Amino acid sequence: MESLKINFRILELKDIPIVYKWLNTDFVKQWYGKKNMTLDEVSEKYSQYIKKEKPTDAYIIQIDSNDIGYIQTYMIKDYPDYDKYVQANQGSSGLDLYIGDPNYIHKGYGKYIIFRFLNDIIFSNPKVNDCILGPEQSNIPAIKTYSKVGFKWIKTIQIPSEEEPEYLMQITKEDFESS
């Protein structure tokens, strides 16, 4: 798998239909989004990232030139409603992702995708000191994948708008570079 060509291309308006399709698949909805979204809802939300109306950098994950999923990063301090629960450091980046193509789920690609994204995007930003992600505590496959990359549990938080607590995990730039 290490010979895979993993790339991230910036999300574009032309990608909205595939993001819509992915978000409405059962295996994505189980952990990401949690509900069916209309094409208009997907367009409204993700076009804000594309047009830089919200401070989130959104990408399409590609493996061997195939679009297989979605990944995003942001500075947690740019989202104060979320940060009041996370209580992140000034240089903390958030990370969210999902694999949308059923041919690529549960096959071990996740750790390679995350490692590459941390290396190429997140930790290449000199303002970033660490990266935090928050899977639901029952999302054992994701937690195991993040642990393989070097993320460690820091605390569990309950966001009022979410059904299940987030199992916050963090990796520092220093720990990532020494792995």
Side-chain angles (χ1 to χ4, degrees):
M1 265 200 226
E2 307 216 12
S3 63
L4 289 173
K5 290 187 351 193
I6 299 171
N7 294 305
F8 309 100
R9 71 174 173 76
I10 294 172
L11 185 71
E12 300 176 45
L13 288 173
K14 69 176 181 147
D15 298 315
I16 297 294
I18 191 70
V19 171
Y20 164 74
K21 177 183 174 187
W22 290 336
L23 285 169
N24 286 292
T25 59
D26 289 339
F27 61 89
V28 173
K29 274 191 314 194
Q30 180 180 4
W31 304 115
Y32 197 100
K34 301 292 214 174
K35 65 182 178 81
N36 283 324
M37 293 181 74
T38 66
L39 183 58
D40 286 343
E41 289 170 328
V42 172
S43 181
E44 182 179 330
K45 177 178 180 172
Y46 290 89
S47 65
Q48 293 177 41
Y49 304 153
I50 295 165
K51 296 173 183 175
K52 299 296 182 193
E53 295 168 353
K54 286 206 170 180
T56 295
D57 296 326
Y59 301 86
I60 294 293
I61 303 165
Q62 294 183 308
I63 293 183
D64 296 331
S65 300
N66 297 310
D67 295 345
I68 64 107
Y70 174 83
I71 193 165
Q72 67 183 24
T73 186
Y74 47 89
M75 298 306 289
I76 293 175
K77 292 288 186 195
D78 288 341
Y79 289 90
D81 290 343
Y82 181 59
D83 186 42
K84 73 182 176 187
Y85 300 99
V86 177
Q87 299 175 339
N89 300 317
Q90 188 60 41
S92 295
S93 173
L95 171 62
D96 304 299
L97 75 149
Y98 60 81
I99 294 175
D101 185 324
N103 297 311
Y104 291 85
I105 62 167
H106 305 302
K107 303 241 169 92
Y109 294 109
K111 74 177 184 178
Y112 298 104
I113 291 166
I114 295 164
F115 183 87
R116 183 71 180 266
F117 194 74
L118 288 169
N119 186 69
D120 294 0
I121 308 291
I122 292 180
F123 289 134
S124 69
N125 179 344
K127 295 178 183 174
V128 174
N129 301 320
D130 61 83
C131 181
I132 295 174
L133 38 70
E136 291 184 357
Q137 61 185 5
S138 62
N139 190 346
I140 303 303
I143 291 168
K144 286 182 178 179
T145 298
Y146 304 148
S147 295
K148 288 176 187 174
V149 178
F151 282 86
K152 294 181 175 36
W153 176 83
I154 52 173
K155 64 183 170 181
T156 302
I157 62 170
Q158 179 66 57
I159 308 294
S161 61
E162 295 179 6
E163 293 176 23
E164 191 173 335
E166 286 189 16
Y167 186 88
L168 285 186
M169 302 179 77
Q170 177 185 50
I171 188 169
T172 65
K173 187 174 194 171
E174 183 179 306
D175 285 345
F176 179 75
E177 290 173 347
S178 67
S179 65

